[in-house]
Amino acid sequence: MTPAEITTFINEKGIKLIDFKFADLLGTWQHFTTTLNEYSEDIFTDGLGFDGSSIRGWRVIHASDMLVIPDPTTAWIDPFNAEPTLSFICTIQDPVTREPYDRDPRGVAEKAEAYLKSTGIADTAYFGPEAEFFIFDDVRYDYSSNGSYHSVDSVEGIWNTAREEFPNLGHKIRHKEGYFPVAPTDTLQDIRNEMCLELEKAGVPIERQHHEVASAGQAEIDIRYAPLKIMGDYMMYYKYILKNVAKKYNKVVTLMPKPLFGDNGSGMHTHSSLWKDGKPLFAGDKYAGLSEMALFYIGGLLKHAPAMTAIMNPTTNSYKRLVPGFEAPVNLAYSARNRSAAIRIPTYSQNPKAKRVEFRPPDPAATSYLAFAALLLAGLDGIQNRIDPGDPLDKNLYELPPEELAKVPTVPDSLLGALETLEGDHEFLLKGDVFTQDFIDNWIEMKKKEYDALRLRPHPYEFYMYFDL
């Protein structure tokens, strides 16, 4: 909608409040709300001021004034407010220079799209993430100087086969056997359906939903592919709507990559492709029906994947998922159909428009705008420098002999390892000023503090292993 259309919409729908949402550096929506007394069509150009010093990873207190600029095309009636509330997704500007704020994730996505067009290689980058999540019935955790504790629970959890449930009807999902069961084993069909319908009301097109592999309520809802920034917006709606629909059912959603030991974690396999003048650029006569450009794009992803994990797998918990054997490929190879490779070429359709590259290591803890921007820049670097991805590896990488597996590079096995790789490999992210050196330095500093926060604390399993020494 245009600003004028929004004014008419407000009057027609009896809107009473306006809500302004924006993503912090870690990919969580922040917001503030005004009455209609603060509304005018000027806000779409002039913005509204706020204090950015308390937003995670943002301004220091002596330079904290910032502007939110609402995007009129994102207007949406938020169903989780009691009073009629019109919601906007916003980008952030410096109030003095009126330049985009370089730590605003949505602004990074905008700059990535502008840089893509400036290269002349393509004019649109499409992304299609497959974000997984868990729906739990209960979550409890605590940490103190002399103890630590966490527990999650689900009526579907295999550990509840003997629990008194007045009555316990069974139908618990065994570890790694949660893919596509029907009711009554799948207890969450209605919740996932409501999530899908609410997402579509927000303008997010849904392809499908289903139970995922793990026990205890793992799920996936797939969004139809869209351009980079729009898909970043979609993923913000995704997290917000999933969590609030779950709350209606007295349940809780987490996108934490590895909440359970010994079962599959939650990934965000991300499909991408480049288009120009309405035509797909990744279809051709090379391996798996790819173009030469697509192979160079893959070359860029493989080269920069270790550094990108610091952005696409941004938590210490992410690296508890990035281990062999759980459909979370750590081996940097590419292949058609093979899900044990970090890069897969889907072969569901031979239509040139469907030709795309699936990058499998990312997880849904990532800030979506940043993850998609980093992936695009790595691929573009591959195209610009004609990076050869080498030969495909059409074998099960989990079953390779040790001498063969040793020749296949891998992603880092810890957040610290990823950050150290990013320190030495981030020039590709600085192209077009998409990411700035300040952004990279701030990200590394912030994430190293997270790594240290975990490293300094005793772990319960250490008592199991070492207390009797």
Side-chain angles (χ1 to χ4, degrees):
M1 288 189 285
T2 66
E5 289 171 335
I6 287 170
T7 300
T8 301
F9 183 84
I10 287 172
N11 293 328
E12 289 178 348
K13 299 296 183 180
I15 299 297
K16 295 182 179 180
L17 299 157
I18 309 291
D19 196 59
F20 302 88
K21 296 181 173 71
F22 59 92
D24 68 13
L25 200 56
L26 301 186
T28 300
W29 256 348
Q30 310 295 315
H31 80 127
F32 64 89
T33 308
T34 71
T35 66
L36 293 184
N37 287 331
E38 289 291 306
Y39 174 78
S40 75
E41 293 177 16
D42 292 338
I43 65 171
F44 298 105
T45 53
D46 295 345
L48 291 173
F50 74 103
D51 176 7
S53 65
S54 295
I55 304 300
R56 293 182 298 180
W58 278 22
R59 285 290 197 206
V60 292
I61 197 165
H62 61 271
S64 59
D65 289 350
M66 311 201 77
L67 290 175
V68 294
I69 309 296
D71 184 342
T73 67
T74 65
W76 165 61
I77 297 178
D78 191 328
F80 306 110
N81 284 255
E83 297 291 343
T85 303
L86 191 63
S87 172
F88 295 102
I89 301 177
C90 305
T91 49
I92 309 300
Q93 288 184 2
D94 185 294
V96 178
T97 66
R98 297 305 299 262
E99 293 294 319
Y101 179 42
D102 65 357
R103 296 186 189 178
D104 169 28
R106 195 171 193 259
V108 170
E110 289 181 346
K111 289 191 290 183
E113 290 188 317
Y115 174 66
L116 171 65
K117 292 177 182 177
S118 76
T119 66
I121 293 171
D123 53 37
T124 307
Y126 284 107
F127 288 84
E130 300 175 6
E132 299 164 341
F133 56 96
F134 280 86
I135 304 173
F136 289 129
D137 295 311
D138 187 67
V139 56
R140 288 169 287 150
Y141 51 89
D142 188 32
Y143 198 95
S144 61
S145 63
N146 67 324
S148 59
Y149 169 82
H150 83 268
S151 174
V152 295
D153 203 6
S154 164
V155 69
E156 293 182 355
I158 187 62
W159 53 84
N160 283 323
T161 54
R163 183 174 70 174
E164 180 59 76
E165 294 180 351
F166 307 102
N168 188 326
L169 300 178
H171 301 299
K172 310 305 181 187
I173 297 175
R174 289 180 288 271
H175 290 300
K176 295 175 174 284
E177 294 187 21
Y179 199 62
F180 281 21
V182 297
T185 302
D186 179 2
T187 66
L188 301 168
Q189 173 76 0
D190 290 336
I191 297 176
R192 296 194 308 269
N193 282 342
E194 185 170 339
M195 291 170 174
C196 290
L197 295 176
E198 288 295 346
L199 282 163
E200 290 200 329
K201 289 177 186 176
V204 180
I206 300 301
E207 290 187 338
R208 60 187 62 85
Q209 61 89 351
H210 58 85
H211 205 289
E212 256 298 340
V213 173
S215 178
Q218 192 182 33
E220 177 177 313
I221 297 175
D222 294 335
I223 301 171
R224 185 171 176 79
Y225 67 89
L228 190 157
K229 184 182 74 174
I230 292 175
M231 183 54 74
D233 290 345
Y234 286 174
M235 285 305 299
M236 298 307 297
Y237 285 122
Y238 189 89
K239 294 180 179 183
Y240 180 73
I241 289 173
L242 264 54
K243 291 179 179 181
N244 279 283
V245 169
K247 187 174 183 292
K248 285 178 56 179
Y249 288 83
N250 203 30
K251 296 180 185 292
V252 62
V253 159
T254 180
L255 290 96
M256 182 178 177
K258 191 73 170 180
L260 299 179
F261 171 70
D263 212 333
N264 281 41
S266 292
M268 188 175 71
H269 307 153
T270 300
H271 301 248
S272 61
S273 63
L274 299 181
W275 292 54
K276 188 173 185 179
D277 299 327
K279 297 180 180 179
L281 302 179
F282 277 9
D285 59 0
K286 306 298 182 183
Y287 174 79
L290 294 174
S291 65
E292 183 181 56
M293 177 186 291
L295 289 175
F296 290 145
Y297 184 91
I298 290 172
L301 298 188
L302 292 175
K303 177 181 178 180
H304 298 299
M308 286 195 296
T309 56
I311 295 173
M312 295 184 174
N313 306 91
T315 70
T316 60
N317 184 256
S318 298
Y319 298 85
K320 293 175 172 60
R321 168 186 167 263
L322 286 178
V323 294
F326 291 90
E327 285 211 20
V330 298
N331 297 296
L332 295 176
Y334 73 102
S335 176
R337 305 176 67 181
N338 184 355
R339 283 175 167 79
S340 68
I343 295 177
R344 186 177 76 95
I345 316 304
T347 56
Y348 299 121
S349 171
Q350 299 308 308
N351 187 331
K353 294 182 178 180
K355 192 57 65 177
R356 60 198 187 274
V357 170
E358 179 189 4
F359 190 60
R360 295 176 64 79
D363 67 56
T367 305
S368 52
Y369 299 112
L370 304 180
F372 303 152
L375 197 151
L376 172 63
L377 289 170
L380 289 177
D381 188 63
I383 294 169
Q384 290 164 330
N385 292 292
R386 302 179 65 83
I387 298 175
D388 185 351
D391 295 329
L393 197 53
D394 293 324
K395 300 178 181 179
N396 185 341
L397 296 171
Y398 303 144
E399 297 179 357
L400 282 182
E403 61 273 13
E404 287 189 51
L405 191 60
K407 299 176 183 178
V408 181
T410 64
V411 298
D413 65 358
S414 71
L415 179 59
L416 180 62
L419 293 169
E420 290 174 343
T421 306
L422 180 62
E423 285 179 309
D425 179 23
H426 60 259
E427 290 297 321
F428 71 100
L429 296 173
L430 304 180
K431 292 181 178 179
D433 201 36
V434 177
F435 292 83
T436 65
Q437 190 64 52
D438 172 75
F439 182 102
I440 299 297
D441 293 343
N442 177 61
W443 183 266
I444 291 172
E445 179 185 4
M446 181 176 63
K447 289 296 174 177
K448 281 187 175 181
K449 289 180 180 177
E450 289 182 27
Y451 176 82
D452 284 342
L454 183 68
R455 181 176 64 88
L456 294 173
R457 287 168 166 80
H459 189 284
Y461 201 66
E462 291 177 309
F463 283 81
Y464 179 86
M465 294 190 295
Y466 306 132
F467 189 73
D468 59 347
L469 293 180

